[in-house]
Amino acid sequence: PIYTCERDNQRMMLQRLISSFRTNSYSRLFSTQGNKSPKTGILMLNLGGPETQEDVHDFLLRLFLDKDLIPLPAQSKLAPWIAKRRTPRIKEQYLKIGGGSPIRMWTERQGQGMVDILNQVSPETGPHKFYIGFRYAHPLTEDAIEEMYRDGVERAIAFTQYPQYSCSTTGSSLNAIYRHLGKTDRLKSSSITWSTIDRWPVHKGLIKAFATNIQEALNKFPEELQRDVIILFSAHSLPMKVVNRGDPYPQEVSATVQGVMEELGYTHPYRLVWQSKVGPLPWLSPQTDEVIKSLSKKGHKNLLLVPIAFTSDHIETLHELDLEYAEELGKECGVENIHRAASLNDHPVFIEALADIVCTHLKSNTVSSRQLSLRCPLCVNPVCDKMRNELFS
């Protein structure tokens, strides 16, 4: 059985959760410090996602206009054409998961939990306030930066919500911050001191949260079959032309996988697989769907999917992993039991990890990780160099 009813119930619960969340003011979730202005602002960086059907086109347009993510010839003309063409199909996908992405809801919850802890454990750097800076959906990174300046923040931490660094994700967000500060003449005369948490692939709290969710998912399999389960860690793929420039993403995702398996005691066979490939060019492989097909043909009928590079549910987990792979492909291939480990979302261990990462960063007095200073060896983007040397050096 493919546990279709279980997934239907989960989707219905998520739809009700999102609907309830949208009817309330987002501002109620922000930390309130009486009349005090926030001293430390934590800018939570992520890709974002369209909250409603009406947001889908603009989300895709911003995505395809981003040269750091998808460099295209005649980008200003080609990107609108691609966005318009893809919008109907992407709208259908979002309709199947409730009408829009829940990533803002989860980020709000994560941020609130994080600053509540920070205000207790690090009062000397408080009050703390989180801000959401999405790259392609509202609230946009640039708008969040303006809010931080209006609030009078003294110290700003650009905190990537991608645990593993890639120039296509975290790098793009950091470049966006650099460009915006440059346009507003704040690079050299800013009233805010900037730093960044640019990666955290093996943080102990992250590893523990993943391992906890995996163990809970393993318990969903029939007891007599649990030892037969193969764990497939699925991460968003990356074009090989990006990897071949020296992007550290594959190594850092692998480090997370190894950390999780060590926490679990290497109790099950596992593989790292890659999803969400777009277009005909070579990407990181093997692809998640191809591995499911191949393992099924070889007689492996108990599979657990783990979204290892995603911390919050969004279309790649709720539609691609749950619907396309676990439900439709699993049934097509004759997989007997296939589950997905829950995303980290508002798991208490994960929120504690976020707070610990920020607290450690605040006490370290460092501007960035040691690794950020090294660009991809074959990088050709001049903004990447300027961002490092003029903002985070």
Side-chain angles (χ1 to χ4, degrees):
I2 307 298
Y3 299 101
T4 303
C5 291
E6 176 185 322
R7 293 196 184 89
D8 287 342
N9 290 335
Q10 290 173 347
R11 285 196 290 274
M12 291 174 63
M13 290 176 61
L14 178 62
Q15 289 173 12
R16 289 195 293 267
L17 188 62
I18 294 173
S19 177
S20 175
F21 184 78
R22 288 172 181 161
T23 60
N24 294 285
S25 170
Y26 287 119
S27 61
R28 70 178 174 82
L29 289 173
F30 283 105
S31 179
T32 55
Q33 313 292 340
N35 294 321
K36 292 182 179 180
S37 297
K39 182 177 181 179
T40 301
I42 301 105
L43 180 57
M44 302 176 76
L45 303 171
N46 212 328
L47 180 131
E51 290 188 273
T52 68
Q53 290 284 286
E54 290 72 26
D55 298 332
V56 172
H57 174 267
D58 288 352
F59 169 79
L60 293 174
L61 180 59
R62 294 186 189 100
L63 187 147
F64 286 108
L65 282 172
D66 183 6
K67 295 181 179 179
D68 292 335
L69 178 68
I70 308 173
L72 299 169
Q75 192 139 7
S76 62
K77 295 182 179 180
L78 189 57
W81 180 82
I82 297 174
K84 183 178 180 180
R85 184 180 181 185
R86 289 176 62 89
T87 293
R89 182 168 65 86
I90 301 303
K91 277 187 172 182
E92 290 181 6
Q93 292 180 359
Y94 277 106
L95 274 176
K96 292 179 180 179
I97 64 169
S101 173
I103 193 170
R104 178 172 179 171
M105 177 189 70
W106 291 124
T107 308
E108 296 268 9
R109 293 187 172 201
Q110 293 159 358
Q112 185 60 51
M114 174 186 68
V115 297
D116 285 348
I117 295 173
L118 286 170
N119 287 332
Q120 294 181 37
V121 301
S122 185
E124 67 277 9
T125 58
H128 305 84
K129 180 177 177 179
F130 74 93
Y131 302 79
I132 297 176
F134 287 153
R135 195 69 182 90
Y136 312 115
H138 293 287
L140 295 168
T141 301
E142 295 81 2
D143 295 336
I145 292 172
E146 291 303 312
E147 185 181 355
M148 296 172 85
Y149 277 92
R150 288 194 299 269
D151 285 349
V153 167
E154 298 175 20
R155 179 169 183 179
I157 302 172
F159 185 10
T160 181
Q161 297 305 291
Y162 308 101
Q164 306 93 2
Y165 184 93
S166 172
C167 60
S168 298
T169 52
T170 300
S172 176
S173 288
L174 297 181
N175 285 348
I177 295 173
Y178 169 81
R179 291 190 184 100
H180 185 72
L181 294 179
K183 289 179 181 178
T184 54
D185 295 323
R186 292 182 178 132
L187 278 174
K188 295 182 179 180
S189 58
S190 176
S191 60
I192 295 179
T193 300
W194 282 88
S195 63
T196 181
I197 301 170
D198 52 84
R199 70 200 73 202
W200 35 288
V202 292
H203 184 272
K204 60 183 180 180
L206 176 73
I207 299 300
K208 183 178 179 181
F210 273 129
T212 299
N213 281 358
I214 290 171
Q215 191 58 61
E216 290 178 357
L218 287 169
N219 291 335
K220 294 181 180 179
F221 290 83
E223 186 174 358
E224 68 275 11
L225 299 175
Q226 288 180 10
R227 287 184 57 82
D228 298 332
V229 174
I230 295 176
I231 301 175
L232 298 179
F233 293 95
S234 188
H236 200 294
S237 191
L238 202 62
M240 288 307 299
K241 66 178 181 180
V242 176
V243 176
N244 291 337
R245 290 200 299 258
D247 194 292
Y249 177 71
Q251 291 87 352
E252 295 193 7
V253 174
S254 297
T256 305
V257 170
Q258 291 304 115
V260 172
M261 288 308 303
E262 185 174 348
E263 179 76 12
L264 291 171
Y266 295 95
T267 53
H268 291 75
Y270 68 98
R271 285 295 184 271
L272 172 57
V273 294
W274 307 91
Q275 65 180 89
S276 310
K277 175 185 175 182
V278 178
L281 296 177
W283 285 51
L284 283 167
S285 59
Q287 296 296 306
T288 305
D289 56 344
E290 295 174 352
V291 171
I292 293 172
K293 294 175 185 177
S294 181
L295 288 176
S296 178
K297 289 180 180 178
K298 292 179 172 63
H300 300 289
K301 302 295 185 178
N302 298 284
L303 306 177
L304 175 61
L305 304 176
V306 180
I308 196 64
F310 308 117
T311 58
S312 300
D313 272 324
H314 58 307
I315 197 164
E316 278 86 356
T317 58
L318 298 172
H319 191 279
E320 188 173 5
L321 289 181
D322 287 356
L323 297 182
E324 295 180 39
Y325 297 164
E327 191 169 307
E328 297 171 5
L329 183 61
K331 185 175 183 179
E332 176 187 319
C333 294
V335 178
E336 294 176 4
N337 298 286
I338 182 167
H339 289 287
R340 173 175 70 86
S343 296
L344 302 183
N345 293 333
D346 59 352
H347 194 294
V349 173
F350 178 58
I351 290 178
E352 290 172 6
L354 294 177
D356 182 67
I357 291 166
V358 174
C359 188
T360 301
H361 177 77
L362 286 166
K363 292 178 180 179
S364 71
N365 290 318
T366 57
V367 178
S368 68
S369 75
R370 187 71 180 87
Q371 299 305 317
L372 186 66
S373 63
L374 179 64
R375 291 170 63 192
C376 296
L378 301 183
C379 177
V380 295
N381 186 348
V383 179
C384 293
D385 184 57
K386 293 177 181 179
M387 174 267 290
R388 288 166 167 79
N389 292 326
E390 298 180 28
L391 182 57
F392 296 119
S393 62

